[in-house]
Amino acid sequence: FKKRRDVNWSSWHQGFFYNPNTKKNFFNMAKGESTYNNEYLMRRDYQELYVRDETINALGDVLNKKGLDLGGGNGTYSHFLTLMGAEMSVQDLSESEQKEGLAQCRKIGINVEYKIGDAQKLQFVDETFDFVISNDFFEHINHQEKINVIKEVSRVLKPGGSFVIKTPNLTFLRISINLKRIIRLLKFKSPFIYIPSTRNNPDCEHHGLTTYLELEEILENNFFFKIERIKTLTRRKYIPNFLAKLIRGFSPLSSQIIISCKKSITVPIGDKFAVLGKEKEDELL
């Protein structure tokens, strides 16, 4: 734990989050008002940082490679990847996030390209990037939008380019919320509870929560190959460490989905052969 005044502008980069369990309340649920103060305690979430490590590591060596941070907000992951030697671009809908990201880049002393726009229409030419990374974005879009976005990712990726997705696991959340409701019933409490940011919550922010199977099907249909589920530990205070290690890799009990895959090599290059062949025939005629 650290006081907010001791955690600078890089709190998100460091994995510090506001802790609602401390004595100093910072959020008035009735009024929907935030009252942050410098004395408020923030908690460093090492599980979150571990999942970020697994996500970035799934890209492999990024030195001197060109990457896109898809729906990347202020570009936190791009900041890490740039310092690892990648040339990064970010596309997101939020202008305020872009301004915040550019300010952070100046503080870090790095260069990241920012674009404002819908991920269903990426503002880059075909086969621009060696890799694309998406973190906590796919839970915000519906099924058809996921299809459209992945088609666009395929368009801007080079043949054989890497694509890594990190997003909350709907299957895990369903199991978790059902267990919590059963426990509340056993304690003679109301079972009508929700997980923050999920469907039926007041903000309904994560209306597009997804599963491994849904994402894998869309990726396969768009000629991505070597689709792999990255095994992670789900650490929770109520899960003993030995049990967390035992269930590692059991996808229904992974709190986060991390999928890595590669864009087809033969399909796009084969299509180019067809175009070149037709052009040659036309020249001969």
Side-chain angles (χ1 to χ4, degrees), residues 90-96 98 114-118 123:
V90 180
Q91 181 163 323
D92 193 272
L93 277 174
S94 173
E95 185 175 354
S96 62
Q98 181 199 58
Y114 285 84
K115 300 274 191 182
I116 299 174
D118 190 339
Q123 298 172 25

Side-chain angles (χ1 to χ4, degrees), residues 12 48 51-52 70-72 77 134-140 165-168 205-206 256-257:
W12 183 260
E48 168 65 20
V51 173
R52 292 181 190 177
L70 181 70
Y77 280 81
S134 171
N135 301 279
D136 300 328
F137 167 63
F138 273 79
E139 66 270 24
H140 297 279
I165 301 171
K166 169 188 171 290
T167 186
E205 185 180 345
H206 294 173
Q256 297 286 329
I257 290 171

Side-chain angles (χ1 to χ4, degrees), residues 115-128:
K115 300 274 191 182
I116 299 174
D118 190 339
Q120 297 177 87
K121 295 181 180 179
L122 295 175
Q123 298 172 25
F124 303 95
V125 300
D126 297 0
E127 300 182 4
T128 298

Side-chain angles (χ1 to χ4, degrees), residues 43-44 65 80 86 120 141 147 258 267 277:
R43 181 179 64 88
R44 197 170 196 187
K65 292 184 178 180
F80 287 116
Q120 297 177 87
I141 57 178
I147 294 173
I258 306 177
V267 171

